[in-house]
Amino acid sequence: SSYCSFRTSTMTMIHLKFLSLTLLLFAIYSLVPCATAAYAKSQSANSDKDAKKDYVVETSKIEPKQSPQISSTGSISLTTLTLDENLSDGNVWLIEFFAPWCSHCQAFANSYETVAHKVHSNPSSKTKQGRVAKIDGHEERATASRFNIAGYPSFFVVDGWSVYEYKGSRTVDALVNYVQGGYLKDDPLPIWSSPMGPIGMIQASMIMVGAKFLKLYASLQEAYNISPTLAAMCFAGIGIFLGLLIMIVVAIMLSVKVKED
């Protein structure tokens, strides 16, 4: 009847509003780290021409590179653009998030390289091998946000789709034992907060898209000598347009026609 039809239509509009708000908030949450990094890089580019050249070269490396060769010495440096490809190699990864200005990170740097040496030079007999990596959380802010980093250094073990946060003592033997199977005694992060869960993977995809926009952003500045402010306004307009377009498409797909008696 008309009451049921009206209720269905009303509930649909409530769902649409909730979905639209969720999409908007999630887009803002995911893109803020990228925007912050882009602004910081553009400021550095204006103050130092060499920094600008380095930025253009860095942002041009959008395509994921092949997995790095594992050495018996030294940890593997990962970035936002190379993280997911390397994590999908079927091995168990111990990842340290550090910051160059963190005194605790500086004090533990040599010890962490010892951890990498022990894990890489003594491969396990199991199918999954241990890999030791590090990520500059200050530079790779989007990935730090994805892992909900609240302090440095922070350690995680990634085994497939499961992520374990290390909360033990910061010693060489403890970390080696943890990545070589000790993590299995702990519970993985909940799927809704895990960087490898659905939300984390969506955020990772949006970061990759953002990285491609950063490449275009750098190209516009380099090729046409466009000011950072104008280039940022252009991309903001494109982002708003695409967001509205997605909301309109979703609204059309979910709309319910009211039945007439």
Side-chain angles (χ1 to χ4, degrees):
S1 63
S2 60
Y3 174 77
C4 293
S5 299
F6 175 76
R7 185 165 184 255
T8 301
S9 179
T10 302
M11 291 303 297
T12 300
M13 293 306 298
I14 294 175
H15 292 160
L16 286 175
K17 291 179 180 179
F18 176 76
L19 179 60
S20 299
L21 180 60
T22 302
L23 288 173
L24 181 60
L25 292 177
F26 183 77
I28 294 174
Y29 171 77
S30 300
L31 295 179
V32 162
C34 293
T36 302
Y39 177 77
K41 289 180 180 295
S42 65
Q43 290 296 101
S44 177
N46 289 335
S47 61
D48 189 346
K49 292 183 179 180
D50 291 335
K52 180 177 180 180
K53 292 181 180 178
D54 292 340
Y55 168 56
V56 174
V57 171
E58 178 184 353
T59 53
S60 65
K61 299 177 181 179
I62 298 302
E63 295 299 327
K65 302 300 181 182
Q66 295 181 349
S67 299
Q69 296 295 325
I70 305 303
S71 171
S72 60
T73 59
S75 57
I76 305 165
S77 295
L78 298 179
T79 67
T80 299
L81 302 180
T82 60
L83 174 65
D84 288 283
E85 183 196 18
N86 286 290
L87 293 184
S88 63
D89 66 354
N91 293 307
V92 180
W93 287 80
L94 171 65
I95 302 176
E96 176 198 21
F97 282 86
F98 71 96
W101 45 261
C102 172
S103 59
H104 299 289
C105 302
Q106 296 170 3
F108 191 69
N110 292 334
S111 297
Y112 193 68
E113 294 305 315
T114 302
V115 172
H117 173 74
K118 287 189 173 184
V119 173
H120 294 162
S121 61
N122 295 288
S124 172
S125 59
K126 301 178 182 179
T127 303
K128 294 183 178 182
Q129 304 298 323
R131 299 288 184 260
V132 179
K134 59 185 178 182
I135 297 177
D136 185 344
H138 181 74
E139 182 70 19
E140 306 296 335
R141 297 182 184 180
T143 301
S145 173
R146 177 181 171 187
F147 277 76
N148 296 317
I149 301 301
Y152 299 103
S154 293
F155 302 90
F156 294 86
V157 165
V158 180
D159 182 3
W161 298 105
S162 299
V163 181
Y164 303 81
E165 184 176 3
Y166 178 73
K167 298 181 179 179
S169 60
R170 198 182 304 152
T171 63
V172 172
D173 291 339
L175 283 168
V176 171
N177 292 334
Y178 196 75
V179 71
Q180 290 182 341
Y183 66 92
L184 294 174
K185 300 178 182 178
D186 295 337
D187 294 327
L189 296 178
I191 189 172
W192 57 83
S193 62
S194 172
M196 300 300 290
I199 296 179
M201 295 307 296
I202 292 174
Q203 187 178 3
S205 299
M206 296 184 69
I207 290 172
M208 292 300 294
V209 172
K212 293 182 181 295
F213 275 101
L214 285 178
K215 179 181 178 181
L216 294 176
Y217 176 86
S219 299
L220 284 175
Q221 287 187 274
E222 183 70 14
Y224 301 102
N225 196 26
I226 298 178
S227 67
T229 302
L230 180 58
M233 290 177 63
C234 292
F235 281 103
I238 294 174
I240 293 174
F241 173 77
L242 292 178
L244 291 175
L245 182 62
I246 292 175
M247 291 181 183
I248 292 174
V249 172
V250 172
I252 294 175
M253 293 177 61
L254 297 181
S255 61
V256 177
K257 185 177 180 181
V258 179
K259 295 182 180 180
E260 296 180 358
D261 291 339

